[in-house]
């Protein structure tokens, strides 16, 4: 199985120290590589995505390996709808996805003391191609400002290599 993100690997111990009575939400999980990494390390993960095909593959992997987790097919971008509802999570991880209207719901769904680990592209990434739309690219300092009232454990904004890309990252703990 492919390893998860370096950001997630670097903060895996923090994730394992969280309240394990609540699952971790892998938001817009795609093929689930980051959530599967967490599940391999004993965490209960909810894999949320709109792709039935991707979720079916994740479900098969969970069954074969007896890892803790479940899939949740959901359209995260329904106008005026909070798809997360009143569910609570020990952490929410998001990689390579941005839908700004979800931020209030995301912040509310993390239990006090829980974490957000978020990484996605910034506007500077246009030099490398897609995505190009402002809707899918963070503005300079935007991610940090969204969690300015949380304890910042890690924050980075700039160029990463292999492959080259401009990203913003944050690991923040809810007060």
């Amino acid at each position: 199985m492919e390893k998860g993100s370096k950001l997630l690997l670097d903060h895996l111990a923090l994730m394992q120290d969280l309240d394990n009575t609540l699952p971790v939400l892998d938001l817009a999980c795609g093929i689930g590589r980051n959530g599967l990494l967490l599940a391999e390390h004993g965490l209960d993960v909810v894999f949320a995505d709109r792709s039935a095909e991707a979720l079916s593959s994740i479900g098969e992997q969970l069954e074969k390996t007896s890892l803790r987790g479940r899939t949740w097919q959901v359209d995260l971008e329904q106008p005026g709808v909070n798809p997360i509802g009143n569910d609570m999570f020990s952490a929410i991880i998001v990689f390579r996805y941005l839908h700004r209207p979800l931020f209030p719901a995301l912040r509310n769904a993390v239990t006090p003391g829980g974490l957000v680990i978020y990484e996605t592209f910034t506007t500077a990434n246009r030099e490398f191609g897609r995505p190009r739309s402002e809707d899918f690219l963070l503005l300079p300092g935007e991610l940090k400002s969204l969690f300015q009232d949380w304890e910042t454990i890690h924050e980075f904004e700039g160029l990463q290599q292999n492959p080259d890309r401009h990203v913003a990252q944050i690991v923040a703990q809810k007060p």
Side-chain angles (χ1 to χ4, degrees):
M1 206 174 292
E2 188 179 343
K3 276 192 208 177
S5 150
K6 180 177 179 343
L7 178 64
L8 195 57
L9 287 165
D10 289 348
H11 296 91
L12 186 57
L14 275 177
M15 299 290 290
Q16 292 173 311
D17 287 343
L18 295 174
D19 173 2
N20 66 6
T21 62
L22 293 172
V24 173
L25 176 61
D26 187 352
L27 192 70
C29 66
I31 61 171
R33 73 183 188 105
N34 291 304
L36 288 166
L37 171 76
L38 295 178
E40 287 173 358
H41 285 87
L43 295 167
D44 184 15
V45 180
V46 174
F47 296 84
D49 203 281
R50 70 178 179 193
S51 169
E53 184 178 330
L55 293 173
S56 176
S57 174
I58 293 166
E60 289 172 14
Q61 291 179 65
L62 291 172
E63 281 182 32
K64 281 186 211 171
T65 56
S66 300
L67 297 175
R68 293 173 60 199
R70 67 178 175 87
T71 60
W72 175 31
Q73 186 174 7
V74 59
D75 180 353
L76 297 166
E77 299 179 14
Q78 299 172 58
V81 174
N82 170 5
I84 300 173
N86 293 321
D87 291 345
M88 296 297 292
F89 300 92
S90 62
I92 298 178
I93 63 171
V94 186
F95 290 87
R96 297 182 179 191
Y97 177 75
L98 178 63
H99 183 62
R100 287 178 178 89
L102 279 179
F103 277 107
L106 186 149
R107 288 173 47 90
N108 288 335
V110 175
T111 193
L115 296 174
V116 162
I117 298 181
Y118 206 117
E119 175 184 298
T120 199
F121 302 107
T122 64
T123 54
N125 196 66
R126 286 185 180 124
E127 79 173 272
F128 300 119
R130 298 177 50 130
R132 292 194 168 283
S133 170
E134 196 105 339
D135 291 344
F136 307 119
L137 299 167
L138 288 165
L139 300 171
E142 182 178 5
L143 188 58
K144 185 177 181 179
S145 73
L146 288 164
F147 294 96
Q148 67 187 358
D149 56 336
W150 291 29
E151 179 188 346
T152 301
I153 295 164
H154 167 85
E155 188 263 331
F156 171 82
E157 190 168 312
L159 176 65
Q160 293 214 315
Q161 297 177 312
N162 266 348
D164 287 351
R165 64 207 184 281
H166 286 277
V167 298
Q169 303 174 331
I170 197 160
V171 177
Q173 187 168 34
K174 187 173 184 174

